[in-house]
């Protein structure tokens, strides 16, 4: 069973930084891509950033220049470095992984809370 476990969330001040981690129970090469989504209360879940198995990245316009997605293949872990956090970034952040072997199938982590205070 594939498991994704997020960590690193917490409370930060407006303008602060956090680094989220997503540890996979299997090689990240089992996935075509991994990414981060977020969902704030009363809002739709939205894509934040993705990274493909070849290293290509994609970001939501709202986080470009502030967030960076990266990976450590040896640790089966994907990171989301979040800088200059804003109150509107507050949400539960979810790790996502698209299966390389099951087209259209994705795995999800349990989420980690990010709160930004002013």
């Amino acid at each position: 069973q594939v498991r994704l476990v997020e960590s690193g969330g917490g409370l930060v001040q407006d303008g602060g930084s956090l680094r989220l981690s997503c540890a996979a129970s299997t090689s990240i090469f089992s996935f075509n891509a991994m990414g981060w989504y977020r969902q704030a209360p009363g809002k739709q879940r939205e894509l934040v950033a993705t990274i493909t198995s070849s290293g290509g990245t994609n970001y939501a316009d709202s986080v470009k220049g502030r967030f960076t997605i990266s990976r450590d293949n040896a640790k089966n872990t994907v990171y989301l470095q979040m800088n200059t956090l804003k109150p509107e970034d507050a949400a539960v952040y979810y790790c996502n992984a698209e299966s390389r072997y099951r087209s259209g199938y994705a795995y999800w982590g349990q989420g980690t809370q990010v709160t930004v205070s002013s």
Side-chain angles (χ1 to χ4, degrees):
Q1 182 180 14
V2 174
R3 292 178 295 176
L4 305 175
V5 180
E6 302 99 330
S7 62
L11 173 64
V12 296
Q13 293 179 316
D14 190 356
S17 298
L18 284 173
R19 189 176 75 157
L20 306 183
S21 298
C22 174
S25 63
T26 188
S27 170
I28 61 175
F29 293 109
S30 298
F31 313 120
N32 287 328
M34 299 184 70
W36 291 92
Y37 288 71
R38 67 187 182 188
Q39 187 168 23
K43 302 290 186 179
Q44 295 275 83
R45 187 173 296 189
E46 63 177 347
L47 177 66
V48 177
T50 61
I51 184 166
T52 69
S53 59
S54 61
T57 58
N58 183 263
Y59 298 92
D61 288 342
S62 60
V63 306
K64 285 181 179 177
R66 300 188 297 119
F67 291 11
T68 302
I69 189 169
S70 62
R71 67 188 182 198
D72 185 330
N73 297 334
K75 295 182 178 180
N76 297 334
T77 299
V78 169
Y79 304 97
L80 184 68
Q81 179 67 46
M82 305 185 294
N83 297 326
T84 57
L85 282 159
K86 305 174 181 179
E88 53 262 43
D89 295 318
V92 177
Y93 283 71
Y94 296 92
C95 185
N96 167 273
E98 297 179 9
S99 176
R100 172 167 289 178
Y101 309 111
R102 299 178 63 183
S103 181
Y105 191 86
Y107 304 95
W108 292 91
Q110 83 287 351
T112 186
Q113 177 71 52
V114 172
T115 303
V116 185
S117 66
S118 59

